[in-house]
Amino acid sequence: MDETDVKILNELSKNSRIPISKIALKTGIPDSTISNRLKKLEKNNVIEQYTTILNPEAVGIQITAMIIIQTETENHENVEIELPKLEKVSQVYSISGEYDILIKVWAHTLDELNDIVTQIRTIDGIEELRELIVMERLKEEPLKVSMNDIE
């Protein structure tokens, strides 16, 4: 990757539907170069997918919660397999420290969040969990790269 790739990626991270011609106008990089670079970035799995970021409130989501989970050592793998299957769980991370897993959950209401937590508690291997309800999203954006990130 080089500075050209970084410029292209940062434009795409703002809007994955931006036409190549607009990226060219914004960056001064020729269309054909952008097209070739995108194919290479996709082939090398730098770009995993193109996606849409929804506005939670616009689709009726009122509650965002982070849940930290402590697992039973012997059933940790089961928890890692089962959590991603839950529809309202959007992100699952294995973490270090007192807790083993961090998940992000979306819910329409507190009652729905309570139902999700009840579902999570039924997974074999869940020892303890703590819910952290997000009061306000201060910053939430896609990954951006800079020349400092390139090896």
Side-chain angles (χ1 to χ4, degrees):
M1 279 190 15
D2 61 14
E3 190 173 340
T4 300
D5 292 328
V6 169
K7 288 178 183 178
I8 294 168
L9 290 170
N10 284 331
E11 288 303 320
L12 282 174
S13 73
K14 294 175 196 170
N15 177 4
S16 66
R17 291 187 56 167
I18 187 171
I20 289 175
S21 59
K22 283 201 176 174
I23 296 173
L25 283 173
K26 289 182 172 208
T27 62
I29 302 166
D31 292 26
S32 59
T33 301
I34 293 170
S35 182
N36 291 334
R37 295 291 184 111
L38 286 174
K39 286 176 188 165
K40 191 181 287 185
L41 291 166
E42 291 165 357
K43 181 181 175 197
N44 293 330
N45 292 321
V46 173
I47 298 174
E48 289 184 354
Q49 68 180 8
Y50 297 89
T51 189
T52 301
I53 299 171
L54 302 177
N55 176 338
E57 291 84 16
V59 295
I61 301 293
Q62 300 298 315
I63 310 292
T64 306
M66 303 295 184
I67 301 176
I68 50 177
I69 300 169
Q70 199 171 53
T71 63
E72 298 166 351
T73 306
E74 62 276 6
N75 290 317
H76 179 81
E77 265 187 60
N78 181 61
V79 176
E80 285 184 338
I81 291 167
E82 294 301 318
L83 281 173
K85 293 179 182 177
L86 299 177
E87 182 182 335
K88 298 294 182 173
V89 174
S90 65
Q91 297 168 6
V92 180
Y93 301 99
S94 179
I95 59 173
S96 64
E98 182 180 345
Y99 290 85
D100 304 305
I101 296 175
L102 167 72
I103 64 173
K104 184 174 184 179
V105 174
W106 303 92
H108 292 90
T109 63
L110 286 173
D111 285 340
E112 183 179 31
L113 176 61
N114 190 45
D115 291 344
I116 295 164
V117 170
T118 300
Q119 235 183 333
I120 292 168
R121 287 186 191 280
T122 65
I123 295 172
D124 192 31
I126 299 286
E127 189 171 300
E128 180 187 341
L129 62 79
R130 295 204 179 192
E131 307 145 48
L132 307 165
I133 296 176
V134 174
M135 301 304 288
E136 181 180 3
R137 286 186 293 149
L138 302 175
K139 181 178 182 178
E140 192 172 73
E141 62 183 39
L143 174 66
K144 291 185 180 151
V145 293
S146 71
M147 286 305 295
N148 295 334
D149 299 322
I150 299 170
E151 298 174 352

